Amino acid sequence: MAINEQEIQEIVRNVLKGMGTATAPAASKAPEKKLLGIFETADEAIAAAKRAQKEIQPMPLEFREKIIANIRKKTLENAKLLSELAVEETGMGNVGHKIIKHQLVAEKTPGTEDLSTIAWSGDRGLTLTEMGPWGVIGAVCPSTNPTATVICNSIGMLAAGNAVVFMPHPSAKNCSNLAIDMVNRASIEVGGPENIVTAVAEPTMDVSNYIFKHKDIDMLCATGGPGVVTAVLSSGKRAMGAGAGNPPVLVDETANIPKAAEDIINGCTFDNNLPCIAEKEVVVVDTVADELIYHMEQNGCYHASPEEVQKLVDTVLDDKNGKKVISRKCVGRSAKVLLGKIGVTVGDEVRCIIFEGEKTHPLIWTELMMPILGIVRVKNVDEGIAVAVELEHGNRHSAHMHSTNINNLTRFGKAIDTAIFVKNAPSYAALGFGGEGYPTFTICSRTGEGLTSAKSFTKARRCVMGDALCIR
Protein backbone atom coordinates (compact mmCIF):
# COMPACT_ATOMS: atom_id res chain seq x y z
CA MET A 1 0.00 0.00 0.00
CA ALA A 2 1.33 3.42 -0.92
CA ILE A 3 2.25 5.70 1.96
CA ASN A 4 0.84 9.19 1.69
CA GLU A 5 2.79 12.42 2.14
CA GLN A 6 1.58 12.98 5.71
CA GLU A 7 2.67 9.50 6.74
CA ILE A 8 6.07 9.97 5.07
CA GLN A 9 6.56 13.23 6.95
CA GLU A 10 5.72 11.48 10.22
CA ILE A 11 8.28 8.78 9.43
CA VAL A 12 11.01 11.30 8.70
CA ARG A 13 10.24 13.26 11.86
CA ASN A 14 10.62 10.10 13.92
CA VAL A 15 13.79 9.07 12.11
CA LEU A 16 15.33 12.52 12.51
CA LYS A 17 14.72 12.24 16.26
CA GLY A 18 16.67 9.00 16.27
CA MET A 19 13.58 6.78 16.30
CA GLY A 20 12.31 4.06 14.01
CA THR A 21 15.60 3.08 12.37
CA ALA A 22 15.51 -0.60 11.43
CA THR A 23 18.45 -2.88 11.97
CA ALA A 24 20.18 -4.52 9.04
CA PRO A 25 19.13 -8.11 8.29
CA ALA A 26 21.41 -11.05 7.97
CA ALA A 27 22.85 -11.50 4.48
CA SER A 28 20.77 -14.69 4.11
CA LYS A 29 17.59 -12.57 4.10
CA ALA A 30 18.11 -11.76 0.41
CA PRO A 31 16.01 -14.08 -1.77
CA GLU A 32 17.86 -17.09 -3.11
CA LYS A 33 16.97 -17.04 -6.80
CA LYS A 34 18.41 -16.31 -10.18
CA LEU A 35 18.37 -12.58 -10.61
CA LEU A 36 16.64 -11.50 -13.82
CA GLY A 37 18.65 -9.20 -16.07
CA ILE A 38 22.02 -10.12 -14.54
CA PHE A 39 24.54 -11.61 -16.99
CA GLU A 40 28.07 -12.95 -16.89
CA THR A 41 29.42 -10.72 -19.65
CA ALA A 42 28.83 -7.20 -20.91
CA ASP A 43 28.08 -8.48 -24.41
CA GLU A 44 25.27 -10.65 -23.05
CA ALA A 45 23.83 -7.81 -20.98
CA ILE A 46 23.92 -5.36 -23.90
CA ALA A 47 22.44 -7.85 -26.39
CA ALA A 48 19.57 -8.68 -24.03
CA ALA A 49 18.80 -5.00 -23.44
CA LYS A 50 18.90 -4.33 -27.18
CA ARG A 51 16.34 -7.08 -27.80
CA ALA A 52 14.12 -5.66 -25.07
CA GLN A 53 14.36 -2.14 -26.49
CA LYS A 54 13.04 -3.33 -29.84
CA GLU A 55 9.89 -4.37 -27.98
CA ILE A 56 9.71 -1.23 -25.86
CA GLN A 57 10.00 1.34 -28.66
CA PRO A 58 6.76 0.46 -30.51
CA MET A 59 4.94 -0.19 -27.24
CA PRO A 60 1.95 2.10 -26.59
CA LEU A 61 2.61 4.65 -23.85
CA GLU A 62 -0.34 3.17 -21.99
CA PHE A 63 1.46 -0.18 -21.78
CA ARG A 64 4.72 1.44 -20.67
CA GLU A 65 2.67 3.04 -17.89
CA LYS A 66 1.31 -0.38 -16.93
CA ILE A 67 4.87 -1.64 -16.39
CA ILE A 68 5.86 1.54 -14.54
CA ALA A 69 2.84 1.23 -12.24
CA ASN A 70 3.99 -2.24 -11.24
CA ILE A 71 7.56 -1.01 -10.68
CA ARG A 72 6.13 1.63 -8.33
CA LYS A 73 4.05 -0.99 -6.50
CA LYS A 74 6.97 -3.37 -6.05
CA THR A 75 9.24 -0.54 -4.89
CA LEU A 76 6.82 0.33 -2.08
CA GLU A 77 6.48 -3.32 -1.13
CA ASN A 78 10.27 -3.84 -1.03
CA ALA A 79 11.42 -0.42 0.23
CA LYS A 80 12.42 -1.70 3.66
CA LEU A 81 14.29 -4.76 2.35
CA LEU A 82 16.16 -2.79 -0.32
CA SER A 83 17.09 -0.12 2.22
CA GLU A 84 18.33 -2.63 4.76
CA LEU A 85 20.40 -4.47 2.17
CA ALA A 86 21.93 -1.23 0.88
CA VAL A 87 23.07 -0.21 4.37
CA GLU A 88 24.28 -3.73 5.16
CA GLU A 89 26.30 -4.09 1.96
CA THR A 90 27.84 -0.61 1.77
CA GLY A 91 27.98 0.28 5.47
CA MET A 92 26.70 3.74 4.53
CA GLY A 93 23.57 5.70 5.30
CA ASN A 94 20.44 5.29 7.38
CA VAL A 95 17.78 2.63 6.76
CA GLY A 96 14.84 4.83 7.71
CA HIS A 97 15.93 7.61 5.39
CA LYS A 98 16.57 5.19 2.52
CA ILE A 99 13.02 3.88 2.94
CA ILE A 100 11.77 7.44 2.45
CA LYS A 101 13.88 7.75 -0.72
CA HIS A 102 12.25 4.63 -2.16
CA GLN A 103 8.79 5.94 -1.29
CA LEU A 104 9.55 9.24 -3.00
CA VAL A 105 10.87 7.47 -6.10
CA ALA A 106 7.85 5.19 -6.27
CA GLU A 107 5.27 7.90 -5.83
CA LYS A 108 6.76 10.98 -7.50
CA THR A 109 9.15 9.99 -10.29
CA PRO A 110 7.61 11.24 -13.57
CA GLY A 111 6.53 8.64 -16.12
CA THR A 112 5.25 9.03 -19.67
CA GLU A 113 3.31 12.18 -18.73
CA ASP A 114 6.68 13.93 -18.79
CA LEU A 115 6.86 13.53 -22.59
CA SER A 116 5.28 16.24 -24.72
CA THR A 117 4.58 16.98 -28.39
CA ILE A 118 4.89 20.38 -30.08
CA ALA A 119 2.74 21.08 -33.15
CA TRP A 120 2.65 23.79 -35.81
CA SER A 121 -0.29 24.03 -38.18
CA GLY A 122 -0.57 26.52 -41.03
CA ASP A 123 -1.03 27.12 -44.76
CA ARG A 124 1.89 24.85 -45.64
CA GLY A 125 0.70 21.83 -43.60
CA LEU A 126 1.41 20.27 -40.21
CA THR A 127 4.68 19.83 -38.37
CA LEU A 128 5.16 17.83 -35.16
CA THR A 129 8.16 17.61 -32.88
CA GLU A 130 8.00 14.52 -30.71
CA MET A 131 10.41 13.08 -28.18
CA GLY A 132 11.74 9.62 -29.03
CA PRO A 133 14.10 7.18 -27.30
CA TRP A 134 17.85 6.96 -27.77
CA GLY A 135 17.80 3.15 -27.65
CA VAL A 136 20.00 1.39 -25.09
CA ILE A 137 21.36 3.60 -22.31
CA GLY A 138 24.44 2.73 -20.28
CA ALA A 139 23.85 4.04 -16.75
CA VAL A 140 26.42 4.20 -13.94
CA CYS A 141 25.01 3.88 -10.40
CA PRO A 142 26.67 5.08 -7.18
CA SER A 143 27.28 3.16 -3.98
CA THR A 144 25.80 6.06 -2.02
CA ASN A 145 22.33 5.50 -3.49
CA PRO A 146 22.53 2.06 -5.05
CA THR A 147 18.89 0.95 -5.26
CA ALA A 148 16.74 4.10 -5.48
CA THR A 149 18.91 5.33 -8.38
CA VAL A 150 18.30 2.08 -10.28
CA ILE A 151 14.55 2.39 -9.78
CA CYS A 152 14.35 6.12 -10.54
CA ASN A 153 16.39 5.76 -13.73
CA SER A 154 14.45 2.65 -14.76
CA ILE A 155 11.14 4.52 -14.57
CA GLY A 156 12.36 7.58 -16.48
CA MET A 157 14.38 5.73 -19.10
CA LEU A 158 11.64 3.15 -19.74
CA ALA A 159 8.97 5.89 -19.96
CA ALA A 160 11.07 7.47 -22.71
CA GLY A 161 11.23 4.15 -24.61
CA ASN A 162 14.76 3.03 -23.74
CA ALA A 163 16.26 -0.12 -22.28
CA VAL A 164 19.11 0.20 -19.79
CA VAL A 165 22.42 -1.50 -19.08
CA PHE A 166 23.29 -0.51 -15.52
CA MET A 167 26.83 -0.36 -14.17
CA PRO A 168 26.48 -0.67 -10.37
CA HIS A 169 29.30 0.28 -8.04
CA PRO A 170 31.28 -2.88 -7.14
CA SER A 171 30.74 -2.28 -3.42
CA ALA A 172 26.96 -2.16 -3.92
CA LYS A 173 26.49 -4.73 -6.69
CA ASN A 174 24.26 -7.12 -4.72
CA CYS A 175 21.59 -4.64 -3.68
CA SER A 176 21.72 -2.86 -7.06
CA ASN A 177 21.32 -6.17 -8.88
CA LEU A 178 18.38 -7.07 -6.64
CA ALA A 179 16.70 -3.79 -7.65
CA ILE A 180 17.36 -4.64 -11.32
CA ASP A 181 15.77 -8.05 -10.80
CA MET A 182 12.71 -6.39 -9.20
CA VAL A 183 12.26 -4.04 -12.17
CA ASN A 184 12.38 -6.94 -14.64
CA ARG A 185 9.90 -9.00 -12.62
CA ALA A 186 7.56 -6.00 -12.55
CA SER A 187 7.64 -5.93 -16.36
CA ILE A 188 7.14 -9.66 -16.86
CA GLU A 189 4.25 -9.82 -14.36
CA VAL A 190 2.14 -7.47 -16.49
CA GLY A 191 3.09 -9.01 -19.84
CA GLY A 192 6.04 -6.78 -20.66
CA PRO A 193 9.42 -7.86 -22.04
CA GLU A 194 12.21 -9.34 -19.96
CA ASN A 195 15.59 -7.67 -19.58
CA ILE A 196 14.30 -4.11 -19.87
CA VAL A 197 17.19 -3.36 -17.51
CA THR A 198 20.36 -5.44 -17.27
CA ALA A 199 23.79 -5.52 -15.64
CA VAL A 200 26.93 -7.62 -15.38
CA ALA A 201 27.15 -9.84 -12.30
CA GLU A 202 30.67 -8.72 -11.39
CA PRO A 203 31.07 -5.01 -12.24
CA THR A 204 34.57 -3.61 -12.67
CA MET A 205 36.05 -0.47 -14.18
CA ASP A 206 37.20 -2.52 -17.16
CA VAL A 207 33.64 -3.75 -17.71
CA SER A 208 32.34 -0.17 -17.50
CA ASN A 209 34.95 1.09 -19.96
CA TYR A 210 33.94 -1.66 -22.38
CA ILE A 211 30.27 -0.69 -22.06
CA PHE A 212 31.12 3.01 -22.55
CA LYS A 213 32.64 2.24 -25.96
CA HIS A 214 30.27 -0.49 -27.15
CA LYS A 215 28.64 0.20 -30.51
CA ASP A 216 25.18 -0.85 -29.25
CA ILE A 217 25.16 1.63 -26.37
CA ASP A 218 23.44 4.74 -27.71
CA MET A 219 23.68 7.05 -24.70
CA LEU A 220 25.51 7.20 -21.38
CA CYS A 221 24.40 8.54 -18.01
CA ALA A 222 26.77 8.63 -15.04
CA THR A 223 25.73 9.24 -11.45
CA GLY A 224 28.92 9.30 -9.41
CA GLY A 225 32.24 10.99 -8.81
CA PRO A 226 34.16 13.28 -11.15
CA GLY A 227 36.28 10.43 -12.52
CA VAL A 228 33.42 8.38 -13.91
CA VAL A 229 31.63 11.49 -15.20
CA THR A 230 34.77 12.53 -17.08
CA ALA A 231 35.03 9.02 -18.51
CA VAL A 232 31.51 9.05 -19.98
CA LEU A 233 31.97 12.58 -21.32
CA SER A 234 35.12 11.39 -23.09
CA SER A 235 33.33 8.46 -24.73
CA GLY A 236 32.31 10.25 -27.92
CA LYS A 237 28.66 9.37 -27.26
CA ARG A 238 25.78 11.50 -26.02
CA ALA A 239 26.47 11.58 -22.28
CA MET A 240 24.97 13.08 -19.16
CA GLY A 241 26.94 13.56 -15.95
CA ALA A 242 25.76 13.87 -12.36
CA GLY A 243 28.99 14.68 -10.60
CA ALA A 244 30.43 16.32 -7.52
CA GLY A 245 29.06 19.15 -5.44
CA ASN A 246 29.97 20.92 -2.21
CA PRO A 247 26.68 22.67 -1.42
CA PRO A 248 27.01 25.68 0.88
CA VAL A 249 24.15 27.04 2.97
CA LEU A 250 24.20 30.80 3.52
CA VAL A 251 22.42 32.37 6.52
CA ASP A 252 21.97 36.13 6.71
CA GLU A 253 20.86 38.36 9.57
CA THR A 254 17.21 38.39 8.42
CA ALA A 255 16.72 34.63 8.64
CA ASN A 256 14.39 32.85 11.06
CA ILE A 257 17.36 31.48 12.99
CA PRO A 258 15.68 28.71 15.05
CA LYS A 259 14.00 27.33 11.90
CA ALA A 260 17.19 27.73 9.85
CA ALA A 261 19.15 25.71 12.41
CA GLU A 262 16.57 22.92 12.42
CA ASP A 263 16.29 22.84 8.62
CA ILE A 264 20.05 22.81 8.11
CA ILE A 265 20.62 19.94 10.54
CA ASN A 266 17.68 17.93 9.17
CA GLY A 267 19.04 18.34 5.64
CA CYS A 268 22.67 17.71 6.56
CA THR A 269 21.93 14.52 8.49
CA PHE A 270 19.48 12.97 6.03
CA ASP A 271 20.92 9.54 5.12
CA ASN A 272 24.06 10.56 7.03
CA ASN A 273 24.80 13.34 4.50
CA LEU A 274 25.13 11.00 1.51
CA PRO A 275 22.90 13.03 -0.85
CA CYS A 276 24.94 15.21 -3.18
CA ILE A 277 22.46 18.04 -2.58
CA ALA A 278 22.87 18.04 1.22
CA GLU A 279 24.24 20.96 3.19
CA LYS A 280 28.01 20.46 3.40
CA GLU A 281 29.11 23.71 5.08
CA VAL A 282 27.50 26.83 6.61
CA VAL A 283 28.38 30.43 5.84
CA VAL A 284 26.72 32.75 8.37
CA VAL A 285 26.71 36.49 8.99
CA ASP A 286 28.59 37.12 12.25
CA THR A 287 25.78 39.00 14.02
CA VAL A 288 23.58 35.87 14.08
CA ALA A 289 26.29 33.17 14.18
CA ASP A 290 26.17 32.56 17.93
CA GLU A 291 22.38 32.26 17.88
CA LEU A 292 22.53 29.83 14.96
CA ILE A 293 25.13 27.67 16.70
CA TYR A 294 23.05 27.62 19.90
CA HIS A 295 19.99 26.37 18.05
CA MET A 296 22.07 23.81 16.15
CA GLU A 297 23.21 22.42 19.50
CA GLN A 298 19.56 22.20 20.53
CA ASN A 299 18.89 20.11 17.41
CA GLY A 300 21.28 17.28 18.18
CA CYS A 301 24.67 18.76 17.30
CA TYR A 302 27.97 18.05 19.05
CA HIS A 303 30.19 21.15 19.04
CA ALA A 304 33.70 19.78 18.58
CA SER A 305 36.74 21.40 20.19
CA PRO A 306 39.78 22.38 18.07
CA GLU A 307 41.61 19.30 19.33
CA GLU A 308 38.71 17.04 18.38
CA VAL A 309 38.43 18.69 14.97
CA GLN A 310 42.07 17.91 14.28
CA LYS A 311 41.47 14.28 15.24
CA LEU A 312 38.56 14.22 12.82
CA VAL A 313 40.79 15.60 10.07
CA ASP A 314 43.28 12.81 10.72
CA THR A 315 40.47 10.22 10.75
CA VAL A 316 38.05 11.14 7.95
CA LEU A 317 40.58 12.41 5.40
CA ASP A 318 43.35 10.44 3.71
CA ASP A 319 46.44 11.78 1.98
CA LYS A 320 46.53 10.86 -1.70
CA ASN A 321 49.33 12.23 -3.85
CA GLY A 322 49.70 15.18 -1.49
CA LYS A 323 45.99 15.95 -1.56
CA LYS A 324 43.36 15.44 1.14
CA VAL A 325 40.55 13.08 0.08
CA ILE A 326 37.68 11.64 2.08
CA SER A 327 38.21 8.23 3.63
CA ARG A 328 35.77 5.67 2.27
CA LYS A 329 35.66 4.07 5.73
CA CYS A 330 33.94 7.20 7.05
CA VAL A 331 31.57 8.10 4.21
CA GLY A 332 27.92 7.88 5.22
CA ARG A 333 28.67 6.98 8.84
CA SER A 334 26.68 8.54 11.65
CA ALA A 335 27.94 11.32 13.91
CA LYS A 336 27.98 8.83 16.79
CA VAL A 337 30.22 6.43 14.84
CA LEU A 338 32.55 9.21 13.65
CA LEU A 339 32.96 10.59 17.18
CA GLY A 340 33.59 7.07 18.45
CA LYS A 341 36.51 6.81 16.03
CA ILE A 342 38.22 9.71 17.86
CA GLY A 343 37.39 8.42 21.34
CA VAL A 344 34.29 10.51 22.06
CA THR A 345 31.24 8.64 23.34
CA VAL A 346 27.81 10.14 22.68
CA GLY A 347 24.23 8.92 22.54
CA ASP A 348 21.95 8.43 19.56
CA GLU A 349 20.52 11.91 20.06
CA VAL A 350 23.69 13.39 18.52
CA ARG A 351 23.05 13.63 14.78
CA CYS A 352 25.71 16.05 13.57
CA ILE A 353 29.19 17.33 14.43
CA ILE A 354 29.69 21.09 14.09
CA PHE A 355 32.76 23.30 14.39
CA GLU A 356 33.94 26.76 13.38
CA GLY A 357 36.74 27.30 10.91
CA GLU A 358 38.14 29.31 8.04
CA LYS A 359 36.92 28.65 4.53
CA THR A 360 40.22 26.93 3.73
CA HIS A 361 39.83 24.38 6.52
CA PRO A 362 40.07 20.89 4.96
CA LEU A 363 36.75 19.79 6.51
CA ILE A 364 35.06 22.81 4.95
CA TRP A 365 36.88 23.06 1.64
CA THR A 366 36.50 19.32 0.91
CA GLU A 367 33.09 17.85 0.10
CA LEU A 368 32.28 15.57 3.04
CA MET A 369 29.62 12.93 2.63
CA MET A 370 29.16 12.52 6.36
CA PRO A 371 27.39 14.58 9.06
CA ILE A 372 30.24 16.97 9.84
CA LEU A 373 29.30 20.60 9.30
CA GLY A 374 31.88 23.38 9.30
CA ILE A 375 30.74 26.94 10.04
CA VAL A 376 32.38 30.02 8.49
CA ARG A 377 31.64 33.48 9.92
CA VAL A 378 31.46 36.47 7.55
CA LYS A 379 31.02 40.22 8.13
CA ASN A 380 27.96 40.64 5.90
CA VAL A 381 25.89 38.99 3.21
CA ASP A 382 28.09 40.31 0.41
CA GLU A 383 31.12 38.55 1.86
CA GLY A 384 28.94 35.52 2.54
CA ILE A 385 27.89 35.28 -1.11
CA ALA A 386 31.52 35.50 -2.24
CA VAL A 387 32.68 32.84 0.23
CA ALA A 388 29.79 30.49 -0.59
CA VAL A 389 30.45 30.76 -4.32
CA GLU A 390 34.11 29.94 -3.71
CA LEU A 391 33.27 26.93 -1.53
CA GLU A 392 30.88 25.52 -4.13
CA HIS A 393 33.96 25.14 -6.38
CA GLY A 394 32.07 25.97 -9.57
CA ASN A 395 30.30 22.61 -9.63
CA ARG A 396 27.01 24.44 -10.24
CA HIS A 397 25.26 21.63 -8.36
CA SER A 398 23.30 22.78 -5.30
CA ALA A 399 23.17 25.63 -2.81
CA HIS A 400 20.87 26.78 -0.03
CA MET A 401 20.03 30.02 1.78
CA HIS A 402 18.03 31.12 4.79
CA SER A 403 16.85 34.72 4.57
CA THR A 404 13.71 36.84 4.48
CA ASN A 405 15.38 39.44 2.27
CA ILE A 406 14.22 38.84 -1.31
CA ASN A 407 17.06 40.88 -2.77
CA ASN A 408 19.67 38.85 -0.90
CA LEU A 409 18.06 35.58 -2.01
CA THR A 410 17.98 36.80 -5.60
CA ARG A 411 21.59 37.99 -5.61
CA PHE A 412 22.87 34.75 -4.15
CA GLY A 413 20.81 32.65 -6.57
CA LYS A 414 22.27 34.51 -9.54
CA ALA A 415 25.83 34.42 -8.20
CA ILE A 416 25.88 30.72 -7.26
CA ASP A 417 24.17 29.63 -10.53
CA THR A 418 23.44 26.07 -9.39
CA ALA A 419 21.03 23.48 -10.76
CA ILE A 420 19.31 23.50 -7.36
CA PHE A 421 18.79 26.49 -5.07
CA VAL A 422 16.73 25.83 -1.93
CA LYS A 423 15.47 28.77 0.12
CA ASN A 424 14.29 28.53 3.74
CA ALA A 425 13.93 24.73 3.78
CA PRO A 426 16.05 21.60 4.23
CA SER A 427 18.01 20.50 1.17
CA TYR A 428 15.74 17.51 0.55
CA ALA A 429 12.88 19.89 -0.27
CA ALA A 430 14.58 20.08 -3.69
CA LEU A 431 13.53 16.46 -4.32
CA GLY A 432 9.84 16.99 -3.58
CA PHE A 433 9.95 16.06 0.09
CA GLY A 434 8.62 19.08 1.99
CA GLY A 435 8.79 21.02 -1.28
CA GLU A 436 7.11 20.99 -4.67
CA GLY A 437 8.39 19.07 -7.65
CA TYR A 438 9.58 15.57 -8.48
CA PRO A 439 12.50 13.52 -7.14
CA THR A 440 15.51 12.26 -9.01
CA PHE A 441 18.83 10.82 -7.89
CA THR A 442 20.59 11.73 -11.13
CA ILE A 443 21.16 15.48 -11.00
CA CYS A 444 23.18 16.43 -14.07
CA SER A 445 24.65 19.79 -13.15
CA ARG A 446 27.86 19.26 -15.07
CA THR A 447 26.13 18.65 -18.41
CA GLY A 448 23.24 21.03 -17.80
CA GLU A 449 20.15 18.81 -17.67
CA GLY A 450 19.68 19.45 -13.96
CA LEU A 451 17.11 17.20 -12.31
CA THR A 452 16.59 14.45 -14.86
CA SER A 453 13.26 12.86 -15.77
CA ALA A 454 11.85 10.88 -18.70
CA LYS A 455 12.22 13.75 -21.18
CA SER A 456 15.95 13.97 -20.33
CA PHE A 457 16.43 10.55 -21.94
CA THR A 458 14.84 11.42 -25.29
CA LYS A 459 15.88 13.12 -28.50
CA ALA A 460 13.73 15.45 -30.57
CA ARG A 461 12.30 14.24 -33.89
CA ARG A 462 10.50 16.52 -36.35
CA CYS A 463 7.75 15.09 -38.57
CA VAL A 464 6.50 17.30 -41.42
CA MET A 465 3.43 16.94 -43.65
CA GLY A 466 3.56 19.44 -46.51
CA ASP A 467 0.42 21.18 -47.69
CA ALA A 468 -1.96 18.88 -45.81
CA LEU A 469 -3.62 18.19 -42.47
CA CYS A 470 -4.30 21.87 -41.82
CA ILE A 471 -8.11 21.95 -41.79
CA ARG A 472 -8.95 25.41 -40.50
Side-chain angles (χ1 to χ4, degrees):
M1 179 181 294
I3 296 177
N4 64 37
E5 190 80 11
Q6 184 176 357
E7 290 172 318
I8 293 176
Q9 290 174 353
E10 184 62 30
I11 290 170
V12 82
R13 279 195 294 269
N14 289 337
V15 171
L16 292 172
K17 292 176 184 175
M19 299 168 55
T21 302
T23 56
S28 60
K29 188 171 182 177
E32 292 184 4
K33 59 187 178 184
K34 183 181 185 301
L35 298 181
L36 302 183
I38 308 304
F39 295 87
E40 291 301 314
T41 69
D43 285 328
E44 290 174 314
I46 294 168
K50 187 174 182 179
R51 289 192 296 271
Q53 202 276 326
K54 290 185 182 301
E55 295 185 55
I56 294 167
Q57 183 160 359
M59 185 184 292
L61 294 186
E62 183 179 6
F63 196 85
R64 291 184 201 169
E65 274 301 319
K66 188 175 181 180
I67 297 172
I68 290 168
N70 206 30
I71 295 172
R72 297 185 196 277
K73 176 176 177 288
K74 284 187 168 294
T75 299
L76 290 170
E77 291 171 348
N78 293 282
K80 185 172 183 287
L81 173 63
L82 291 171
S83 300
E84 289 172 339
L85 292 176
V87 172
E88 179 187 20
E89 184 174 7
T90 67
M92 298 186 291
N94 175 300
V95 171
H97 292 174
K98 288 189 184 297
I99 290 172
I100 293 165
K101 287 182 177 182
H102 287 89
Q103 291 164 337
L104 281 171
V105 164
E107 297 184 337
K108 287 193 168 184
T109 301
T112 59
E113 74 279 5
D114 196 48
L115 308 178
S116 60
T117 298
I118 300 171
W120 293 268
S121 176
D123 295 339
R124 301 311 305 268
L126 175 70
T127 294
L128 301 177
T129 296
E130 295 186 297
M131 309 311 293
W134 280 87
V136 179
I137 299 176
V140 178
C141 288
S143 59
T144 53
N145 208 34
T147 52
T149 301
V150 166
I151 297 162
C152 184
N153 280 353
S154 294
I155 291 173
M157 292 173 181
L158 170 64
N162 304 287
V164 192
V165 178
F166 281 109
M167 290 162 273
H169 194 283
S171 69
K173 63 184 180 182
N174 295 323
C175 58
S176 291
N177 288 348
L178 188 62
I180 290 166
D181 170 89
M182 185 197 76
V183 169
N184 282 310
R185 290 178 188 275
S187 175
I188 294 168
E189 279 182 9
V190 296
E194 61 182 358
N195 300 319
I196 60 173
V197 294
T198 68
V200 176
E202 295 296 333
T204 66
M205 198 61 231
D206 287 341
V207 168
S208 294
N209 285 329
Y210 182 79
I211 293 172
F212 294 164
K213 298 171 185 175
H214 198 284
K215 63 181 178 62
D216 290 332
I217 295 294
D218 303 293
M219 178 186 187
L220 293 168
C221 180
T223 310
V228 70
V229 172
T230 297
V232 300
L233 295 182
S234 304
S235 67
K237 301 178 185 287
R238 165 73 168 119
M240 297 162 53
N246 192 37
V249 53
L250 177 59
V251 182
D252 75 9
E253 67 277 12
T254 74
N256 180 336
I257 299 301
K259 181 179 184 299
E262 182 180 7
D263 286 349
I264 290 167
I265 300 308
N266 284 349
C268 173
T269 58
F270 191 82
D271 207 17
N272 290 344
N273 201 246
L274 286 176
C276 52
I277 65 169
E279 296 86 343
K280 307 298 185 188
E281 64 277 335
V282 178
V283 180
V284 57
V285 173
D286 184 61
T287 55
V288 294
D290 290 337
E291 183 184 1
L292 182 71
I293 291 169
Y294 167 79
H295 286 288
M296 285 180 166
E297 292 170 344
Q298 302 309 302
N299 278 277
C301 287
Y302 180 88
H303 197 154
S305 69
E307 294 76 20
E308 290 167 336
V309 172
Q310 185 54 52
K311 289 180 180 179
L312 285 170
V313 171
D314 296 337
T315 300
V316 307
L317 296 179
D318 294 331
D319 286 308
K320 187 175 181 180
N321 300 323
K323 185 179 179 181
K324 293 287 187 183
V325 297
I326 55 174
S327 169
R328 182 164 182 81
K329 295 179 293 184
C330 298
V331 170
R333 270 55 174 187
S334 68
K336 179 180 178 179
V337 167
L338 294 173
L339 287 168
K341 289 179 180 290
I342 64 169
V344 177
T345 302
V346 297
D348 291 334
E349 73 280 358
V350 171
R351 300 189 283 139
C352 186
I353 304 165
I354 60 173
F355 71 96
E356 291 190 59
E358 299 296 321
K359 66 182 181 182
T360 54
H361 192 284
L363 297 184
I364 294 173
W365 189 257
T366 307
E367 180 188 16
L368 300 180
M369 303 178 76
M370 57 194 83
I372 299 175
L373 199 58
I375 301 167
V376 180
R377 293 179 185 248
V378 291
K379 297 190 297 292
N380 52 48
V381 71
D382 293 322
E383 183 186 358
I385 290 172
V387 169
V389 168
E390 191 175 358
L391 288 171
E392 206 275 328
H393 301 317
N395 292 311
R396 303 290 193 266
H397 196 292
S398 299
H400 320 290
M401 186 173 185
H402 292 267
S403 172
T404 58
N405 185 309
I406 297 298
N407 290 332
N408 288 349
L409 290 164
T410 302
R411 287 194 297 126
F412 183 46
K414 288 183 176 181
I416 200 75
D417 190 27
T418 47
I420 289 174
F421 180 36
V422 176
K423 303 173 286 296
N424 299 322
S427 52
Y428 50 69
L431 301 183
F433 182 69
E436 294 299 325
Y438 63 88
T440 184
F441 296 103
T442 299
I443 301 167
C444 294
S445 56
R446 184 164 171 185
T447 49
E449 293 82 8
L451 280 76
T452 58
S453 60
K455 63 187 175 187
S456 306
F457 309 114
T458 62
K459 54 185 177 182
R461 291 167 175 168
R462 177 173 284 201
C463 181
V464 180
M465 171 67 78
D467 299 322
L469 290 181
C470 175
I471 59 173
R472 64 181 176 217

